[in-house]
Amino acid sequence: MLLRPEEAWALLVFGHGAGAGMEHPFMQAVAERLGLHGVASFRYQFPYMEQGRKRPDHARRLTDTVRSAVANAHALAGDLPLIAGGKSMGGRMTSQAWAAEPLPAVAGLVFFGFPLHSPAKPGMERADHLSGVAIPMLFLQGTRDTLARMDLVGPLCERLGARATLHVVDGADHGFHVLKRSGRTDEEVLDELAGVTTRWMRHVLGRAN
């Protein structure tokens, strides 16, 4: 699904999470908000989701799908610089694909909730491949995310050095939902995510604000 505003200046190749496809409300909302900032988006479906299966494909098929999506996005909008990434699994598979072999024309990676570990087994093994990613990375992480404890995410980004930018969304869970008592709404969080992502992309791509 290609969403391209009239005055687009960049394109995000945007993969979905493990439990919901490219038409999930979060994916749609982020794509629409990025479009308001002049960022086009190319959403795509992993094979298992397209076929109606619940269990994700094996990692090689997922990363091959990422690579194919990047190629198709470039073919459709080759005049726009590319950023790639996604929600949860979509972001992690994008980084694994890049670590295995750099994705052509992709200038940076953005993670909407990097799934660092399972809820029951905190650890950093899922991020080992990030040491092989040589382009800028943006981590958008909620403080209530049970798949990425903040006391692990912070040290990870420090270890990655200047390549990593961490933006913490206070009170947000893995789906970027916030509690009513936070005084914020999910819509405000979505606006924040789009704004932060846009500013980071401008910096990475060397575009003036």
Side-chain angles (χ1 to χ4, degrees):
M1 298 180 71
L2 176 65
L3 179 61
R4 179 170 180 162
E6 287 187 9
E7 298 183 359
W9 52 269
L11 173 67
L12 173 65
V13 185
F14 195 15
H16 62 76
M22 64 183 179
E23 296 184 81
H24 186 271
F26 177 86
M27 300 286 291
Q28 180 70 27
V30 170
E32 289 176 352
R33 281 166 169 79
L34 288 174
L36 295 176
H37 291 280
V39 177
S41 57
F42 181 82
R43 285 178 282 159
Y44 60 96
Q45 207 103 283
F46 289 104
Y48 77 95
M49 186 65 66
E50 186 70 12
Q51 295 161 9
R53 293 184 284 111
K54 292 184 178 181
R55 185 175 181 178
D57 304 294
H58 56 78
R60 178 58 185 272
R61 193 173 193 194
L62 294 173
T63 55
D64 283 350
T65 302
V66 170
R67 200 167 296 280
S68 176
V70 168
N72 277 274
H74 189 59
L76 287 170
D79 57 318
L80 298 177
L82 299 184
I83 299 291
K87 176 70 181 76
S88 193
M89 184 198 73
R92 183 164 73 98
M93 289 302 110
T94 301
S95 60
Q96 287 189 196
W98 204 103
E101 182 181 350
L103 296 166
V106 172
L109 304 180
V110 56
F111 308 117
F112 293 89
F114 189 92
L116 189 56
H117 52 73
S118 68
K121 191 178 180 181
M124 298 177 69
E125 293 81 7
R126 289 183 180 178
D128 287 346
H129 68 281
L130 294 178
S131 61
V133 176
I135 56 176
M137 293 170 275
L138 173 63
F139 292 79
L140 301 158
Q141 305 289 154
T143 57
R144 293 193 302 118
D145 190 342
T146 58
L147 275 66
R149 279 181 14 187
M150 293 309 304
D151 62 336
L152 297 177
V153 174
L156 166 63
C157 291
E158 289 180 8
R159 187 178 73 194
L160 293 172
R163 288 172 293 159
T165 299
L166 172 61
H167 179 79
V168 176
V169 183
D170 189 41
D173 63 13
H174 190 63
F176 293 99
H177 299 297
V178 290
L179 300 173
K180 287 185 178 180
R181 66 171 179 265
S182 70
R184 304 181 70 198
T185 65
D186 287 353
E187 288 71 26
E188 289 172 332
V189 170
L190 289 166
D191 289 339
E192 177 182 341
L193 295 175
V196 170
T197 301
T198 300
R199 290 191 293 273
W200 176 83
M201 288 177 66
R202 285 189 177 278
H203 174 74
V204 169
L205 298 173
R207 295 183 62 95
N209 290 321

